[in-house]
Amino acid sequence: MLTAITRHVSPAIDRCELTHLERNPINLGRARLQHRAYEHALRDLGVKVYSLPEEPNLPDSVFVEDTAVVLDECAVITRPGAESRLPEVESIAQALAPHRQLFSILAPGTLDGGDVLKVGRMIYVGLSGRSNQAAIIQMRAFLNPFGYTIKSIRVSGCLHLKSAVTQVSIDTLLVNPAWVEAGNFPGLNIIEIDPSESYAANALLVGENVLYQPVYPRSLERLEALGIHPVLVDESELGKAEGALTCCALLFNN
Ligand code: GLY
């Protein structure tokens, strides 16, 4: 069964980290309603959702994806690249401990889960402003013994690797070629987003279903033309905090 760990939106969300976006007021009530709808959409797809309580002093803590990489065999607790986000990992490690053997990224390594894209036994790790080579070396030491290959990928112009590329079926990626080179992913089908929708490459694959945001209608048309018909969920208020669909859940088999 698929399980998701999520976390309620912090009342401090308007103090979130911002790297590529201007600060705009975030409507907390709207963000919470949208996030609840996202959790409902996961439940409707048969996912068991554990929703952790809000963290009043951790603005970005709704973006649980950045705190761990959960695989079938183990989980890696990250060391987020933004100092304000370091305290987020402790409660996630506690939540995952009953389910998985845990490894932890240690200094000088920094890693955000948003930089980690797993496709089969291949794990792509973005070298971004948040994740570094020291963390990639640690990831290899933890995960090569389980048969995973770790490949580092340069990303530019966006926060995380998964701002630029996500998986939309077993062998297909949705890519913003302005932020990551599609040539990094040989053997996989590539769907390019519409160039007018820079943030449209973030979809959440849930089993055989895809969650996607209705705010990217042109890229949605491209998905549908190729037979991918996503469930639509709007997390646009958290988009102002540089978050997207994958950021808001840790999904794993249980
Ligand atoms: N605001 C999301 C992040 O910067 O991590």
Side-chain angles (χ1 to χ4, degrees), residues 13 15-20 59-60 63 66 80 82 84-85 88 112 130 159-160 238 240-243 247:
I13 184 72
R15 288 189 276 119
C16 66
E17 297 283 338
L18 286 177
T19 309
H20 296 277
D60 283 297
F63 302 128
D66 292 317
S84 69
R85 302 199 58 187
E88 293 177 27
D112 281 11
R130 296 286 175 84
L159 183 60
H160 289 132
L238 289 178
K240 297 177 189 170
E242 245 171 319
C247 313

Side-chain angles (χ1 to χ4, degrees), residues 10-179:
S10 171
I13 184 72
D14 56 346
R15 288 189 276 119
C16 66
E17 297 283 338
L18 286 177
T19 309
H20 296 277
L21 292 182
E22 296 289 316
R23 196 167 295 279
N24 274 306
I26 296 174
N27 182 320
L28 179 60
R30 187 158 185 263
R32 285 182 162 161
L33 276 177
Q34 289 183 345
H35 192 52
R36 220 168 291 148
Y38 168 90
E39 292 174 330
H40 277 303
L42 289 173
R43 287 193 183 98
D44 285 347
L45 294 174
V47 178
K48 172 131 188 100
V49 179
Y50 290 101
S51 189
L52 300 177
E54 70 188 43
E55 291 279 2
N57 297 314
L58 298 177
D60 283 297
S61 53
V62 65
F63 302 128
V64 289
E65 172 186 55
D66 292 317
T67 59
V69 178
V70 190
L71 304 169
D72 285 347
E73 302 84 353
C74 64
V76 178
I77 303 300
T78 67
R79 188 167 173 273
E83 204 170 330
S84 69
R85 302 199 58 187
L86 291 171
E88 293 177 27
V89 299
E90 196 179 318
S91 54
I92 296 294
Q94 280 171 15
L96 285 171
H99 305 284
R100 292 292 189 276
Q101 174 189 6
L102 301 183
F103 298 100
S104 290
I105 299 292
L106 302 177
T110 62
L111 182 75
D112 281 11
D115 277 317
V116 180
L117 173 67
K118 176 184 142 348
V119 183
R121 307 307 283 182
M122 183 66 90
I123 296 182
Y124 302 97
V125 183
L127 280 171
S128 68
R130 296 286 175 84
S131 302
N132 65 17
Q133 191 63 39
I136 289 174
I137 290 167
Q138 293 177 46
M139 287 284 277
R140 288 201 175 107
F142 300 147
L143 302 181
N144 286 354
F146 294 106
Y148 291 100
T149 300
I150 314 292
K151 178 174 175 180
S152 62
I153 295 197
R154 292 244 161 241
V155 287
S156 61
C158 59
L159 183 60
H160 289 132
L161 177 65
K162 276 189 278 192
S163 318
V165 52
T166 53
Q167 189 177 15
V168 289
S169 79
I170 190 165
D171 58 0
T172 305
L173 301 179
L174 180 62
V175 175
N176 178 346
W179 289 346

